[in-house]
Structure formats: C-alpha cells, structure tokens
Amino acid sequence: MDPLRWSSSPSSSGTSSPRTPPCEMLGYVGIEAVLDQLKIKAMKMGFEFNIMVVGQSGLGKSTMVNTLFKSKVWKSTPPGLVGTTAQTLQLHSVTHVIEEKGVKLKLTVTDTPGFGDQINNDKCWDPILSYINEQYERYLQEEILITRQRHIPDTRVHCCVYFVPPTGHCLRPLDIEFLQRLCQTVNVVPVIARADSLTIEERETFRRQIQHDLRTHYIDVYPQKCFDEDINDRILNSKIRERIPFAVVGADREHLVNGRCVLGRKTKWGIIEVENMAHCEFPLLRDLLIRSHLQDLKDITHNVHYENYRVCRLNESDVLPRGPGWVNLAPAPTSPPATPGPSKVRRRTQDNSTE
C-alpha cells in the first residue's frame, strides 16, 4: 500500500481532557453503545455534501466529478449546446442521492461554466463569491427563526475544487486572485488538471512552483495548518500538504487491462489508469474528499467559514440580539462581506453594564 494513502478520519483519535481525569469503573455499563445509536441515527438521516468545481472549459471538471463518485452525476453537454461558449459566468447545480451499502449521500455539484474563458476576466470570481455567501445567508435566515425546522437544509458549499491548467510554469494572475479571495470563504482544494499532458518530471516541477506561489501570496488552501487539532492530524495533513495540488486525470469509462476492468482513458500510447498511483494522483484526491476528510470539510465550513459570515452579518445588523428571540438582520449587502482570515471564531460573552 502506498505510504501516502490514508483511511482514518483526522478526528478519529480523541484524547481525554487533562482537567477531567478518567473515572475508575467497577464493571461494564454499556457506554460504547452510544456509537451504535449514533450510527443508526446517521444512517436514517443520511448525509449531505456540496461540492463546487471551478476552472476553465476543457479541463475535465464534469468527468472528474463522475469519476469521483463512479456515477453519472454530471451529464455531458446537450447536443443543442455543443460548440457554444458562455458569454458570462453561469452557475449550474445538480443534486443526486447516491446510496452505497445502505449509506445515502445527498450530493450537490455546482459547476461554473464560463469561468476564465473571456478575454477580460476581471472580477469573474464575484458571481462565485456571491453564490457561496447566498447559501450562508439562506442558512442564517433559517437558523434565526423562532420556530425553525428540525433539520435545516444545508446548501452551503463544503468544498471548492479548483482546476489549474497544466501549463507547467506557474500560477496565472487569475489563479492567484481567485484563490486569495476564495480561501477566506470556503475550503479550496487545488488540483492540476489533465496531468497526463505533463511528464513526471514536469509534473513535480510544476507542483513545487505552485506550492511556492501559494506560500509567496499567503494562500492557505485546505487542509490548513491552524486546524490541526492533535499530533495525528498534523502528521496526516502534513503528508497531504506535501502533495497538493494533486495531479489528476479523470475518466468515466472502463477498459480491459490484463484481464481486469479499470477506469481509464485510452490514448495511442496506452491506457491511463486513473486509480493507479503510478499514472496519476486521483486516488489521493478521492480519499481526501470522501474517505478521510468529508466530515472535516463540513465541520470547518460550519464552525469557521459560516461562523465568520454569521458574525459579520450580526455586526452589521441594526438590532443586535438581547436575548432569545427574533434577530432583525439588515438587508444582505450587494457585495460579499469582508470575512476574517482563516482563524477559528471564538464566542465571547461581554457584560453590558447599561442593561
């Protein structure tokens, strides 16, 4: 097995607090049954995951999504639209329910056709930021109701996969501007698209240059160092950060190789197996998004990015909450509010002497 493959959750190894020493038990009580109760309840409710893919046309975004979930999540372009190019950036979302071994996942994929395809790409990231903040606003408006739903529909974007063109040189100014703005609002995972167009040496050189550009421009992509909660998280995420951006190849067709069916793309030089680490790093991206960090992506979205948005909106409100009840929020700003950097928001209680 490849040493960089990971299967355990970053928050799977919990440590007891030093302030609360474990109590000596005299016999079996059955506390471990809580895990079974949580599993049964989670299986009944199902899970939600919202992912956004951003990149220029022709980088294989739709194919990559289909490859990730081994389903026809995103269909090909309708025949009537073949050959047409979007004049402006448009966002399209599709929702599917995927079931595997009794586990149901409500998956929402948001595509951004037209991104970076124009001659003048100034502020082409604004519609994406507006969409992400709009989903935060929807969740906030449901959350502040006195009588609210038992389960608030979660349409917030949990992860944004950014496709970097395989130029082999460095990040473009468009890539830098986009990543600087989006990393403060959503979890961003950059990938090198169509990595089969680069040799192994070119791929590694390109990766090191991108990592240098990220450090130079203070772009903190997921997983961020400041969110490593213990030593196990630090070790696991350090291996991931060394390989980001992943060099990926997408393919949603099976081919027969040495008597077995594999997902891959056929070329005149042979078949590129997307699940073969010797060919590309797609398995690492799949493990990060689905098998090891899916819940962590949702937790950081709720506890950090959404919390930052909520704090900004409440600070902008004309009537701040003075107790339990309705919160009158000011109208949502036309431009996305300035959110703090990627730091955890801590709730603070202030004594108001005038009350």
Side-chain angles (χ1 to χ4, degrees):
M1 175 178 274
D2 190 274
L4 288 178
R5 296 293 297 274
W6 48 84
S7 59
S8 61
S9 172
S11 58
S12 59
S13 59
T15 57
S16 59
S17 174
R19 297 182 180 179
T20 56
C23 177
E24 182 180 358
M25 300 183 63
L26 303 179
Y28 178 75
V29 178
I31 300 176
E32 63 182 16
V34 175
L35 297 177
D36 296 331
Q37 299 174 33
L38 294 175
K39 181 179 179 181
I40 293 173
K41 186 175 182 180
M43 293 280 285
K44 289 180 180 179
M45 295 182 59
F47 301 90
E48 297 175 327
F49 188 59
N50 307 319
I51 185 172
M52 173 182 285
V53 289
V54 181
Q56 285 182 303
S57 301
L59 295 181
K61 301 187 298 295
S62 303
T63 304
M64 180 58 62
V65 172
N66 293 337
T67 310
L68 275 173
F69 298 95
K70 293 187 177 180
S71 305
K72 292 293 183 180
V73 176
W74 199 275
K75 298 182 180 179
S76 58
T77 306
L81 298 179
V82 174
T84 60
T85 304
Q87 297 299 321
T88 58
L89 176 62
Q90 302 174 359
L91 280 76
H92 299 294
S93 299
V94 293
T95 301
H96 295 279
V97 177
I98 302 176
E99 185 172 356
E100 183 181 36
K101 295 183 179 181
V103 179
K104 294 182 180 181
L105 176 67
K106 183 180 178 182
L107 174 67
T108 300
V109 180
T110 303
D111 195 6
T112 56
F115 176 84
D117 293 340
Q118 311 303 319
I119 297 178
N120 183 7
N121 293 307
D122 185 31
K123 298 183 179 179
C124 63
W125 48 79
D126 282 352
I128 298 175
L129 282 171
S130 299
Y131 176 83
I132 294 173
N133 284 291
E134 180 184 349
Q135 309 314 310
Y136 290 153
E137 183 68 23
R138 286 185 179 182
Y139 195 91
L140 178 61
Q141 292 296 335
E142 289 289 339
E143 193 178 43
I144 63 177
L145 293 176
I146 296 178
T147 305
R148 57 186 178 183
Q149 304 181 47
R150 183 177 180 182
H151 176 69
I152 301 177
D154 190 2
T155 61
R156 298 169 297 182
V157 179
H158 301 130
C159 180
C160 173
V161 181
Y162 186 75
F163 288 71
V164 179
T167 60
H169 301 293
C170 60
L171 289 177
R172 304 167 301 169
L174 174 61
D175 302 328
I176 295 173
E177 291 289 339
F178 177 87
L179 292 173
Q180 284 180 332
R181 287 165 170 79
L182 264 292
C183 283
Q184 298 182 4
T185 309
V186 69
N187 300 312
V188 179
V189 177
V191 297
I192 301 174
R194 294 192 177 278
D196 54 321
S197 61
L198 301 172
T199 65
I200 300 297
E201 294 77 11
E202 292 173 342
R203 193 174 71 184
E204 293 304 318
T205 303
F206 191 31
R207 189 205 315 275
R208 290 194 295 269
Q209 182 61 46
I210 292 177
Q211 292 175 348
H212 173 73
D213 293 341
L214 295 177
R215 291 191 300 267
T216 302
H217 297 279
Y218 304 100
I219 300 173
D220 202 9
V221 297
Y222 182 87
Q224 298 90 338
K225 289 184 179 180
C226 57
F227 299 150
D228 296 342
E229 297 183 353
D230 53 34
I231 185 63
N232 294 326
D233 289 358
R234 193 177 303 112
I235 294 174
L236 175 61
N237 292 337
S238 295
K239 295 180 180 179
I240 301 174
R241 285 187 283 265
E242 291 175 0
R243 302 297 292 267
I244 281 183
F246 301 130
V248 298
V249 177
D252 51 7
R253 293 185 181 181
E254 291 186 342
H255 300 274
L256 191 63
V257 178
N258 298 328
R260 59 189 181 92
C261 290
V262 297
L263 276 174
R265 194 156 63 87
K266 188 175 182 180
T267 66
K268 62 181 180 180
W269 298 280
I271 296 177
I272 303 172
E273 302 177 29
V274 299
E275 295 181 318
N276 189 341
M277 282 293 297
H279 295 182
C280 72
E281 296 172 340
F282 168 79
L284 300 183
L285 176 65
R286 179 190 58 199
D287 291 353
L288 173 68
L289 296 181
I290 301 175
R291 299 184 180 181
S292 63
H293 286 67
L294 187 148
Q295 187 59 46
D296 188 62
L297 286 164
K298 297 179 64 175
D299 291 342
I300 291 181
T301 299
H302 180 77
N303 298 326
V304 180
H305 298 302
Y306 168 72
E307 191 73 7
N308 289 338
Y309 179 87
R310 189 187 70 88
V311 169
C312 291
R313 289 289 288 122
L314 292 179
N315 286 335
E316 294 170 356
S317 176
D318 293 333
V319 181
L320 292 178
R322 297 180 180 272
W326 182 274
V327 179
N328 295 323
L329 292 180
T334 55
S335 59
T339 56
S343 59
K344 290 188 177 181
V345 177
R346 302 181 181 272
R347 296 184 176 179
R348 296 176 298 178
T349 304
Q350 298 180 350
D351 295 330
N352 192 345
S353 60
T354 59
E355 294 184 355

